[in-house]
Amino acid sequence: MHPTELVLSPRLRKTAFEDRVFELGIQSFTIYNHMTLPVAFSSNPESYQHLCEHVQVWDVAAERQVEVVGPDALALLELITPRDISTCDVGQCVYAPLADQDGLVINDPLILRLREDRFWISIADSDVLLWVKGIAYGRDFNVKVFEPDVSPLAVQGPKANDLMADLLDDSVRDIKFFRFIEAEIAGTPVVLARSGWSGQGGFEIYLQNSADGLVLWDAVWKAGEPYNVKIGSPNLIERLETGLKSYGSDMTLDDHVLECGFEKYLNLDKTAEYMSRESIERLQKSGIKRRLCHVMAKADPLPGLRERWQVNAGGKMVGQASSCAWSPKFEANLMFAMLSTEVSEPGSVVTVMVNGAEVDGIVCDDRWKY
Ligand code: THG
């Protein structure tokens, strides 16, 4: 690896929780939505094990919100995603990929409906604010679009229910998956949702005033002490086992929504206008040529990726792998790879080129079966 260091300046935005994150011994972070996002606090496998058994607090303030509010808010939301947003209740969030007029993936956010005419788009790493502001202006929608001062703090792991029940009360146990309530913690108003970027269960607390970031952190931390709480971060091993794809790595603006495994979330016949409709219909007719696949390689643990790895089959290139981690659960390397449909069915055998070495892989379904 190259011994380099990222230099922090005001251009790389500070999170509301950053002081605690540094105090608790951050080892590395990445940049996400022009903001720091912690990556790991102990070695990944240790943090993974702890996440699966206990409870962790994650600074995910870099999951920024784009607020859309006003009489045309629903029409604007419907236009930018092929998912049906009209059926989303107030108090519900949905996973809804944003696609442009060519069906290409702009982002894969959660969308929270706060009121009939007020939404938060909780974004992955791309400049959705500019995209949505441009569309609102160009289409003359009667809405306000802005980035509110909102910072999600994730509480993830099997003991998250106990922590949160102690912090608030037992009613939080009844919050259903992808539903949220408004509450107050340590004197600061929050939106509390059952969601988060792991398969281990838990909550996301949306802080609405960065000045209260450390007070909120400390209250959550104190409630977590009986449950062996540790600081954590979105975990590469866990997210591969769970099958969570990361925008910018596993899919980008070069990929079509139908290629990325989003079909199950979409309602392509929804009545509202959406800008990718024609492109999606065209691709449905002609048939897709690539698909984002799960690939398992039963080799020794592979290194991390700086660039995508070429994937071959039958002596020719069939795609590229974009994420990889060694999984203790499957005792294998798990990868996401955008592959030609010739080899995208579970059971297909491929060769992954890892820094000059050939590694055998097998294509799996989204539960890692083949
Ligand atoms: N939480 C919040 N904002 C976010 C993320 C988050 N913004 C960026 C990124 N993560 C958005 N992407 C995802 C992707 C998947 C999920 C959440 C956010 C997710 N998926 C579940 C799954 O695949 O099992 C369930 C999806 C469903 O059934 O609807 O949770 O994490 N605030």
Side-chain angles (χ1 to χ4, degrees):
M1 288 304 287
H2 310 285
T4 53
E5 191 179 287
L6 266 172
V7 177
L8 296 178
S9 71
R11 192 169 51 70
L12 303 181
R13 300 182 290 175
K14 181 177 172 171
T15 82
F17 313 111
E18 192 174 285
D19 292 350
R20 288 295 176 272
V21 171
F22 278 108
E23 282 162 25
L24 288 160
I26 184 178
Q27 288 176 351
S28 50
F29 57 85
T30 186
I31 300 296
Y32 195 92
N33 288 322
H34 315 279
M35 184 172 257
T36 55
L37 173 65
V39 175
F41 290 88
S42 51
S43 71
N44 237 345
E46 251 172 69
S47 189
Y48 157 84
Q49 209 64 43
H50 178 265
L51 170 63
C52 297
E53 288 169 17
H54 302 283
V55 58
Q56 296 188 341
V57 184
W58 300 356
D59 173 0
V60 285
E63 293 165 356
R64 304 312 290 166
Q65 311 305 301
V66 174
E67 179 161 335
V68 181
V69 58
D72 293 334
L74 179 61
L76 172 48
L77 267 289
E78 291 278 38
L79 188 65
I80 60 177
T81 174
R83 182 158 189 169
D84 195 341
I85 302 301
S86 69
T87 56
C88 178
D89 295 328
V90 172
Q92 186 183 0
C93 35
V94 294
Y95 183 40
L98 310 186
D100 74 2
Q101 69 280 10
D102 297 319
L104 302 175
V105 183
I106 296 278
N107 199 283
D108 71 328
L110 292 187
I111 296 176
L112 290 76
R113 191 166 199 175
L114 297 152
R115 286 201 314 253
E116 288 297 323
D117 64 350
R118 181 174 175 230
F119 297 86
W120 282 345
I121 311 174
S122 184
I123 64 173
D125 187 19
S126 72
D127 293 320
V128 172
L129 178 64
L130 303 180
W131 169 247
V132 177
K133 278 174 80 79
I135 291 168
Y137 175 74
R139 287 264 186 147
D140 211 9
F141 278 125
N142 185 5
V143 288
K144 249 173 54 180
V145 180
F146 62 102
E147 188 185 286
D149 175 12
V150 170
S151 305
L153 183 67
V155 180
Q156 298 287 296
K159 296 180 183 168
N161 273 317
D162 293 335
L163 183 158
M164 205 55 73
D166 287 0
L167 186 57
L168 281 164
D169 58 65
D170 270 327
S171 68
V172 300
R173 296 181 192 276
D174 301 329
I175 300 174
K176 296 210 168 62
F177 185 64
F178 274 26
R179 298 278 166 162
F180 61 83
I181 60 164
E182 301 200 26
E184 202 180 279
I185 301 176
T188 199
V190 298
V191 164
L192 177 64
R194 189 179 293 279
S195 59
W197 215 57
S198 86
Q200 304 307 310
F203 298 89
E204 290 180 301
I205 307 171
Y206 294 78
L207 170 75
Q208 293 168 81
N209 177 3
S210 340
D212 292 335
L214 302 184
V215 175
L216 174 66
W217 180 286
D218 292 343
V220 173
W221 194 260
K222 190 151 181 291
E225 273 168 3
Y227 303 110
N228 189 20
V229 68
K230 288 209 168 121
I231 186 166
S233 62
N235 186 285
L236 181 67
I237 302 169
E238 202 282 338
R239 72 122 171 144
L240 275 150
E241 288 181 353
T242 299
L244 299 170
K245 291 144 201 157
S246 180
Y247 187 79
S249 290
D250 306 314
M251 63 229 161
T252 70
L253 201 42
D254 293 330
D255 304 312
H256 194 281
V257 267
L258 293 187
E259 296 173 331
C260 298
F262 288 127
E263 298 92 297
K264 65 177 173 184
Y265 300 112
L266 308 183
N267 175 5
L268 301 174
D269 301 321
K270 72 179 186 181
T271 47
E273 184 191 1
Y274 62 97
M275 61 202 296
S276 55
R277 186 189 294 267
E278 272 179 36
S279 158
I280 287 175
E281 284 174 355
R282 220 177 309 123
L283 195 54
Q284 277 179 319
K285 268 198 206 112
S286 65
I288 68 166
K289 308 236 159 15
R290 314 183 299 162
R291 198 184 293 279
L292 188 52
C293 296
H294 292 54
V295 174
M296 183 182 283
K298 289 185 178 148
D300 288 341
L302 295 170
L305 293 81
R306 177 67 181 93
E307 295 175 292
R308 292 177 171 192
W309 292 330
Q310 182 173 327
V311 180
N312 298 333
K316 65 170 191 184
M317 178 170 170
V318 291
Q320 288 184 312
S322 49
S323 297
C324 177
W326 197 85
S327 157
K329 182 164 146 193
F330 294 98
E331 298 187 324
N333 296 282
L334 306 181
M335 301 177 210
F336 291 130
M338 186 63 85
L339 298 179
S340 156
T341 46
E342 293 162 56
V343 294
S344 66
E345 286 302 314
S348 301
V349 173
V350 295
T351 305
V352 187
M353 301 304 299
V354 181
N355 306 334
E358 295 189 351
V359 176
D360 293 333
I362 186 150
V363 176
C364 299
D365 67 14
D366 58 10
R367 323 200 79 167
W368 299 106
K369 301 230 164 60
Y370 56 88

